[in-house]
Amino acid sequence: MTNLLSNRDARRVFLAKQGLANPPNRALTKAGLLQLINDIGFVQVDSIATVERAHHQILFSRNQTYRREHLTELLEKDGALFENWTHDASILPSAFFVYWKHRFRREEVTIVERWRKWRGEGFEAAFEETYERVLKNGAITAREVKAEDHVSGGWWNWHPNKTALEYFWRTGKFAIAGRTNFQKVYDLVERVLPSRFHEPEVEHDEFVDWACRSALQRLGFATSGEIAAFWDLVKPHEAKAWVETHRDELTDVLIEPAGGGKPRPSLAFTQFHATLDDHPEAPARIRILSPFDPMLRDRDRTERLFGFFYRIEIFVPEPKREYGYYVFPLLEGDRLIGRIDMKADRKLGTLDVKRLWLEPGIKASAGRLEKLEAELDRVARFAGVEKVVFLEGWRGSPPPP
């Protein structure tokens, strides 16, 4: 029997799974932070600091008592977290490292093939030299091994040693020991992660089972394609085969989309409906999300569940942008109600609010604007600036149709 899950219940479950239903002002210890990252799975890392770097804002939006130094200690001192790749560079619990070994082995072949097309033949020549330097001398940054005549640029202009460092990181030989001005510090993985995380690689079937099972646990409900996409560790056909093999543990669920329409067939664990009431309602306050928040990573899922179309316009030419370079989604309770363009001016000590767009049907009531201002004050304090400044025209005109 297939059960219909209302859109409201679907949003409630997903937000709870994403750590967005917990009390945002409850004291978060370092152990609690590690558990939070384990629960949501991964936290994307990004260099853009329009207000605050993505990983910090992702964690702050879930708990306003989050402390950056706890994250640094878990990464650089305790080795309880590590940086590597999901869909992008991310922070992950080191307990998952054993499963990433399958990705490393796959990347050893596919990365070289991709990068050879990009860089041409012979780019691997610096690999042995770079590895030996780290082995003998310890942790380094890319800047320390760059040739003097190399002109720096983006990833498309990496120097050979930087390419080698990234290769060894992406294939599990190196790990990120820390960051200096956000520049990666690379070292041998055995010198970064504690020995308890250096378990032998598990068998392929066990790896696929963990990848699919852990993804569905964090999504609550999903198609086999969404299960495969969550970690970007297994192929769609592997996730589909896992579903077929574990049908006795799964139940069919129809997910009602936002605004009505045809329900989407999905899968959940058999205890899903019995535990439905265990998921609390999201707090009613407004929270400003990072554009890289894991809740938003699957843009199509976000649109289906919340009726909210969102794209990052960083790479869109300015005249063609609908909203702006780096615009933050607004979550109120269990609804995505709009987006805001803002920037921290650290020289002046201000959080400058440039523009607010509310979704159709969302009113700019006095109560809602008070909640938004309270959140902006919290974000300003977190970003280390003194006050919020609303620039002329910040309310703008009605949102585009």
Side-chain angles (χ1 to χ4, degrees):
M1 178 180 176
T2 300
N3 296 292
L4 178 67
L5 187 69
S6 71
N7 180 252
R8 182 173 181 180
D9 281 343
R11 283 182 279 132
R12 176 167 57 86
V13 169
F14 185 52
L15 289 172
K17 294 289 186 181
Q18 283 295 305
L20 286 162
N22 298 325
N25 56 357
R26 180 184 294 168
L28 185 68
T29 63
K30 187 169 76 168
L33 175 61
L34 179 59
Q35 185 61 53
L36 172 61
I37 295 172
N38 181 84
D39 290 345
I40 61 179
F42 61 90
V43 177
Q44 187 170 331
V45 178
D46 192 81
S47 61
I48 297 173
T50 302
V51 174
E52 183 52 272
R53 297 201 193 278
H55 46 294
H56 293 312
Q57 188 171 355
I58 288 166
L59 295 167
F60 175 77
S61 66
R62 284 154 175 78
N63 192 296
Q64 68 186 56
T65 74
Y66 159 68
R67 294 170 59 184
R68 297 172 184 82
E69 57 266 32
H70 283 164
L71 185 68
T72 300
E73 289 175 12
L74 288 167
L75 277 164
E76 300 180 14
K77 181 181 177 182
D78 305 340
L81 298 170
F82 76 106
E83 283 191 46
N84 209 268
W85 214 257
T86 53
H87 323 84
D88 212 313
S90 297
I91 295 168
L92 299 141
S94 296
F96 299 170
F97 186 78
V98 64
Y99 301 107
W100 254 250
K101 291 183 177 182
H102 284 260
R103 185 186 190 103
F104 300 151
R105 185 156 45 82
R106 184 182 72 202
E107 297 277 63
E108 285 177 357
V109 176
T110 58
I111 280 184
V112 169
E113 291 175 350
R114 285 201 310 270
W115 289 4
R116 186 175 286 119
K117 293 178 182 177
W118 157 47
R119 297 299 303 268
E121 294 290 341
F123 76 92
E124 305 101 314
F127 280 26
E128 183 176 352
E129 170 200 343
T130 304
Y131 187 87
E132 288 298 318
R133 178 164 179 172
V134 174
L135 178 65
K136 293 177 181 177
N137 301 330
I140 58 172
T141 63
R143 186 174 299 170
E144 294 174 77
V145 292
K146 184 177 72 170
E148 291 184 6
D149 60 349
H150 183 82
V151 179
S152 297
W155 59 265
W156 56 89
N157 197 37
W158 285 347
H159 57 80
N161 298 96
K162 166 67 173 177
T163 305
L165 289 170
E166 286 289 302
Y167 169 78
F168 288 126
W169 173 53
R170 293 283 294 271
T171 57
K173 308 295 190 303
F174 290 171
I176 307 304
R179 286 181 179 262
T180 302
N181 297 324
F182 207 68
Q183 298 299 307
K184 298 187 191 83
V185 179
Y186 304 83
D187 202 352
L188 297 180
V189 70
E190 53 266 32
R191 293 201 289 240
V192 176
L193 295 188
S195 58
R196 67 182 182 275
F197 297 122
H198 295 281
E199 303 171 63
E201 185 176 323
V202 300
E203 293 295 325
H204 185 74
D205 288 348
E206 183 181 345
F207 157 70
V208 172
D209 182 61
W210 178 86
C212 294
R213 188 177 300 276
S214 61
L216 185 54
Q217 287 168 343
R218 287 163 177 80
L219 289 166
F221 49 86
T223 65
S224 63
E226 290 169 336
I227 290 171
F230 183 81
W231 300 113
D232 195 25
L233 283 175
V234 298
K235 302 296 183 184
H237 74 269
E238 291 176 310
K240 190 173 183 180
W242 178 83
V243 167
E244 293 171 354
T245 303
H246 295 83
R247 284 299 304 180
D248 60 330
E249 297 181 58
L250 305 173
T251 186
D252 294 307
V253 185
L254 288 173
I255 309 300
E256 182 185 33
K262 185 177 180 180
R264 182 177 177 83
S266 295
L267 299 155
F269 288 112
T270 52
Q271 65 272 29
F272 177 76
H273 288 284
T275 60
L276 195 57
D277 292 338
D278 294 345
H279 301 92
E281 297 280 354
R285 71 194 293 176
I286 288 178
R287 280 177 281 182
I288 298 172
L289 302 181
S290 165
F292 296 104
D293 196 289
M295 172 199 160
L296 302 161
R297 189 206 61 78
D298 186 338
R299 306 293 195 224
D300 292 338
R301 184 180 174 99
T302 300
E303 191 169 0
R304 283 194 304 272
L305 289 180
F306 297 91
F308 187 76
F309 179 85
Y310 182 75
R311 298 293 184 270
I312 297 175
E313 298 183 288
I314 293 171
F315 300 111
V316 177
E318 186 171 358
K320 295 184 178 181
R321 288 176 189 151
E322 187 175 6
Y323 296 103
Y325 173 78
Y326 198 79
V327 174
F328 302 83
L330 299 175
L331 177 69
E332 181 183 35
D334 66 351
R335 294 191 298 171
L336 287 164
I337 63 164
R339 57 205 89 200
I340 192 167
D341 188 359
M342 60 183 186
K343 184 175 182 179
D345 186 330
R346 290 180 171 81
K347 289 184 179 180
L348 296 179
T350 59
L351 179 64
D352 297 338
V353 177
K354 300 178 180 180
R355 185 74 182 273
L356 170 70
W357 297 267
L358 294 176
E359 289 290 279
I362 302 296
K363 296 181 180 179
S365 64
R368 178 166 283 130
L369 291 177
E370 284 178 10
K371 288 199 293 183
L372 175 61
E373 288 182 26
E375 174 69 354
L376 288 167
D377 286 340
R378 287 188 287 266
V379 171
R381 288 192 296 271
F382 183 65
V385 295
E386 297 171 4
K387 62 180 180 178
V388 178
V389 174
F390 295 91
L391 302 185
E392 185 177 355
W394 73 278
R395 292 286 299 277
S397 54

